[in-house]
Structures are given as structure tokens and as C-alpha cells.
Amino acid sequence: MLAIYRREMGAFFTSGIAYVFVTVFWLVSGIFFYNGVIAEGTTDTSAMFGSMFYIVLFLIPVLTMKLLSEEKKNKTDQGLLTAPISLWDIVLGKYFAALTLYIIAESIVFVYAFILNYLGKVAWTPLLGNYFAMLFLGAAFIAVGLFISSLTENQMASAVVSLVVLFVIYLSEMLVSSFENGNTFKKVIFKIVSSLAFYSRYVEFTRGVFSLTSVLFFVSAAFLFNFFTVKVLEKRRWS
């Protein structure tokens, strides 16, 4: 797994994806920080973290689009699949490489926190809670993107499909919100969709609510989609 991890980290920087991802992440998050915190003259970062959900939603597909699709396109996947390593080593090596780059980009929030020290007292507990909320959210989204990347050999298709899937997951909760007070059937649909919703669980953290159930949800989602990716590679190996 470590060999795959080092290989992917090197590939991120040699291909330029790392620089694009981190630069755009820092630029957009900086805009949210200025508009939601500095311009408002506050040290409350809740509004900033609420907006940063959309950064994660749109940038994760860029981060994951080449992880497995490029292997399939260049026919190097056969070398990986026949190597004396487990499929979990392959998947987790690529997964943790993407997660590491995401953590590097996300850690810009600590720079913002030190800037806020000059404006007033920073509430570190909610800030750290929001930081880990973003971490769990990104971990789940990366697993989704990696799974989509395993299904195609076209990087752009992988990015677009990942974005559409994540956007549909986000929109589904909004679309059924009116079902909450509907008939029994609508209420059941609302409960099912709400239980699978990423956005509402993330927003809980931005409002200062720590939910162990939501943490387990994000961890389980990451594990489940990585499991699906392993199954895709397993099928390809035996075919």
C-alpha cells in the first residue's frame, strides 16, 4: 500500500493536479473567509464552513478523476491487478494519497484561525469541529470519486459523473424536504433520503452539534464505496 501511496502522491504533483486543486481550494476558501468572516467583523467561522461544502463538492471530482481511469486508459491497470499485492492495498493506497492532498488543502483553515487571533478570540472548539466535519465529508466524497474513476477510462467522464452523483446526493435532500409533512409514503421517502444525506449531517457540525452518528455515517460511506471499488477491480482481475 505504501508503494502505491508514494506513487500516487508523486503523480499528483508531476501531473499538476495537486497545484491546481490546492490553488483553487485556497483561492475560493479565501473568498469565503473574507466575505463571511473578515467583512462581517466577526470571529465566527460557521458561515465560512457552511459555504466550503460547495468547494468540496466541486473539487473532489477533479482530485479523483485520474486515480483509476488513467490506469485503465494506459493499460497499466493489468500490471497492478497481477502484482503480488491485494486489491485493498491498491484502493487504499490511491485513496489515502487523495485524502492526504485534501488534508493539505483543507488545513488552510488554521492559517485563517491565526489571522483571526489579531481580530479577537478564536473559538477553537467549533473551529476544530468544523475542520473534522470537512475531513469526514471529504473522506466520503473521495471514496465516491474513486469508485466512479474505477468504472471508466476517460478522466473527464469520471470527473463529470462524480460531480453529477455528488450533486444528486446533495439535491435529493432538498427535493424531498417537502415530504416531511406529507402522507405516510412521502414521510418514509423523506426519512430514507434524510438518513443518506451528506449535507444535513455536515451542517450539523457547522452549527456546533457534534453527532457520533454522523461521524459513523461518513466513515461507513467511505468504507462502503471503497469496498465497491475493490469489487470492480476484482471483477476486472478475473476477466
Side-chain angles (χ1 to χ4, degrees):
M1 187 181 78
L2 289 177
I4 301 295
Y5 173 83
R6 289 193 295 267
R7 175 174 175 261
E8 289 304 315
M9 286 301 294
F12 276 135
F13 286 95
T14 55
S15 66
I17 287 180
Y19 303 108
V20 173
F21 178 80
V22 172
T23 299
V24 175
F25 193 102
W26 287 356
L27 177 63
V28 179
S29 66
I31 294 173
F32 288 145
F33 172 66
Y34 179 80
N35 290 334
V37 181
I38 300 297
E40 297 295 326
T42 180
T43 58
D44 182 6
T45 56
S46 298
M48 179 189 74
F49 278 105
S51 299
M52 287 177 78
F53 175 88
Y54 302 102
I55 304 178
V56 180
L57 179 70
F58 283 98
L59 288 185
I60 289 297
V62 176
L63 182 62
T64 60
M65 65 181 185
K66 66 179 287 294
L67 288 176
L68 284 168
S69 59
E70 187 178 52
E71 300 278 5
K72 188 175 182 180
K73 179 181 179 180
N74 296 334
K75 309 300 181 184
T76 54
D77 59 331
Q78 295 304 314
L80 279 178
L81 296 177
T82 56
I85 55 175
S86 72
L87 295 179
W88 275 105
D89 285 338
I90 297 172
V91 172
L92 292 181
K94 290 176 174 289
Y95 174 77
F96 283 118
L99 185 60
T100 299
L101 186 56
Y102 174 76
I103 291 173
I104 292 172
E106 183 196 8
S107 295
I108 189 67
V109 299
F110 293 113
V111 175
Y112 300 153
F114 287 117
I115 292 174
L116 290 179
N117 268 330
Y118 292 99
L119 300 178
K121 185 177 180 180
V122 177
W124 283 100
T125 300
L127 186 142
L128 289 173
N130 284 315
Y131 172 83
F132 283 107
M134 278 190 65
L135 176 59
F136 291 130
L137 178 71
F141 279 6
I142 289 170
V144 175
L146 180 60
F147 170 65
I148 301 299
S149 181
S150 71
L151 300 176
T152 178
E153 63 180 33
N154 188 301
Q155 292 185 36
M156 289 306 299
S158 173
V160 171
V161 173
S162 295
L163 178 59
V164 170
V165 170
L166 294 178
F167 197 66
V168 167
I169 292 173
Y170 163 65
L171 268 186
S172 61
E173 185 179 4
M174 308 300 167
L175 294 176
V176 302
S177 59
S178 61
F179 290 6
E180 186 176 9
N181 298 315
N183 56 40
T184 303
F185 178 71
K186 287 184 176 180
K187 286 181 179 178
V188 170
I189 293 178
F190 174 78
K191 288 182 179 179
I192 293 174
V193 174
S194 297
S195 66
L196 300 175
F198 286 83
Y199 181 72
S200 61
R201 294 179 184 276
Y202 173 75
V203 169
E204 280 183 342
F205 287 93
T206 65
R207 293 172 179 168
V209 178
F210 178 83
S211 172
L212 183 59
T213 303
S214 295
V215 173
L216 292 176
F217 170 81
F218 287 126
V219 173
S220 298
F223 173 80
L224 185 62
F225 278 99
N226 280 330
F227 175 77
F228 290 157
T229 305
V230 169
K231 289 301 178 182
V232 170
L233 296 184
E234 187 177 72
K235 183 178 181 180
R236 193 181 302 168
R237 169 185 275 182
W238 292 112
S239 64

